[in-house]
Amino acid sequence: MFEARLFEDMLPLSGQIQRASDSAKGAVSRLTGLEAPAMADEEKTFADLQARVAKTLAYVESVPASAFDGAETREVVVPAGTFTLQFTGLDYLLEFVIPNFQFHVVTAYDILRHKGVPLGKRDFLGIGPERLKAA
């Protein structure tokens, strides 16, 4: 399942999780000017991918909110092959980061569902039993 993909020209499950991680830590780095931890995309097991997600979350959570002061107007330049994309911080977040992150997370979820993993919408949204109340 680690190398499962929805279509031959798409990244496998491992690549989808790696790109979601890169998107999150890259956004924090570009919006704050802080250096993101390097991750070599060498995960070979689900435990490795879980460790990568944990490391990404730890980095994101370690950045103080004050580091984002003025980020909405900061110039953000993203290399994209033979050209670059240029944004203000707010446009970068809304037009590039969020859609890109969501694409890779949804694709990972879809691969897992396609392979029979019993996940549902509540799993994707992170809605646990503590949030469910009887009508």
Side-chain angles (χ1 to χ4, degrees):
M1 189 174 320
F2 199 77
E3 292 300 317
R5 57 186 81 220
L6 292 179
F7 198 74
E8 62 192 35
D9 69 346
M10 295 179 78
L11 290 170
L13 177 63
S14 56
Q16 299 298 337
I17 294 170
Q18 291 162 345
R19 294 302 82 68
S21 164
D22 290 345
S23 183
K25 64 190 181 80
V28 170
S29 176
R30 287 184 180 104
L31 291 171
T32 64
L34 301 172
E35 189 166 338
M39 297 183 193
D41 295 346
E42 297 175 341
E43 293 82 11
K44 302 285 186 228
T45 66
F46 284 107
D48 292 343
L49 286 174
Q50 289 172 322
R52 182 186 181 117
V53 169
K55 186 176 177 182
T56 302
L57 287 171
Y59 166 66
V60 169
E61 292 169 351
S62 75
V63 177
S66 61
F68 291 92
D69 289 348
E72 65 277 5
T73 58
R74 183 172 286 130
E75 180 183 6
V76 176
V77 178
V78 180
T82 59
F83 57 94
T84 59
L85 303 171
Q86 295 183 309
F87 302 93
T88 64
L90 183 60
D91 289 343
Y92 167 67
L93 180 66
L94 296 176
E95 297 173 15
F96 188 82
V97 174
I98 292 173
N100 190 54
F101 180 82
Q102 285 293 91
F103 173 84
H104 291 293
V105 172
V106 168
T107 302
Y109 171 85
D110 291 344
I111 290 169
L112 292 170
R113 283 299 310 257
H114 182 70
K115 291 298 185 179
V117 176
L119 296 169
K121 186 173 183 178
R122 279 191 248 160
D123 297 302
F124 181 83
L125 296 174
I127 298 173
E130 70 282 356
R131 294 225 186 252
L132 300 176
K133 302 212 187 304

